[in-house]
Amino acid sequence: MQDSLEDKYIKGELEMNYIKQLLIAVCLNVIILWGLTAFFPYTGLGRIIAFPLIFVINMIIATMGCIVTRFLNVVHKGLVWAIIVVLSIIVAIWLFPQDSGISVIVKIIDWIKGNL
């Protein structure tokens, strides 16, 4: 028999589930920022402001995802989390600073065009 939400809340299962989801979101943020830094290292001093800003925005997105997926079934949760991952990557790329005049988005588009 399935436990109700109150029973799960009393057992602490909901909090642990949200903590796991937020830890995964933190790991995703670190991987995204590490990857962007590895491929686009010329960030200059903009990194001091951009990294915390990207991290905070992505954590807000992940927290909203935890709230939204509370009552969804597994298929819809997976779809919502896929959208959250894509949105986090877009936010990170959009806000990632570059010292040179060309933005990361333009560099990625040029790289894709060159490889096609």
Side-chain angles (χ1 to χ4, degrees):
M1 181 159 183
Q2 273 189 325
D3 292 336
S4 67
L5 282 176
E6 292 93 14
D7 294 338
K8 288 183 180 180
Y9 182 75
I10 291 170
K11 292 179 185 176
E13 293 176 16
L14 288 177
E15 287 85 11
M16 289 307 295
N17 192 22
Y18 295 138
I19 291 171
K20 288 177 189 175
Q21 290 174 350
L22 289 177
L23 284 175
I24 290 171
V26 167
C27 291
L28 176 67
N29 277 324
V30 169
I31 291 169
I32 291 170
L33 290 175
W34 174 79
L36 285 171
T37 304
F39 287 109
F40 307 104
Y42 305 111
T43 57
L45 292 176
R47 183 187 301 194
I48 295 170
I49 296 172
F51 277 27
L53 182 66
I54 292 169
F55 190 79
V56 167
I57 291 172
N58 284 341
M59 289 310 297
I60 291 170
I61 292 170
T63 303
M64 297 307 267
C66 287
I67 293 169
V68 168
T69 59
R70 175 180 269 173
F71 300 108
L72 298 177
N73 61 15
V74 176
V75 175
H76 291 113
K77 281 183 183 182
L79 181 63
V80 168
W81 282 108
I83 291 170
I84 288 170
V85 167
V86 170
L87 189 61
S88 294
I89 292 171
I90 290 170
V91 165
I93 290 173
W94 182 50
L95 293 176
F96 197 76
Q98 283 293 283
D99 235 4
S100 63
I102 301 172
S103 71
V104 174
I105 296 170
V106 173
K107 288 181 182 180
I108 291 172
I109 291 171
D110 288 343
W111 180 79
I112 291 171
K113 285 181 182 178
N115 286 327
L116 290 179

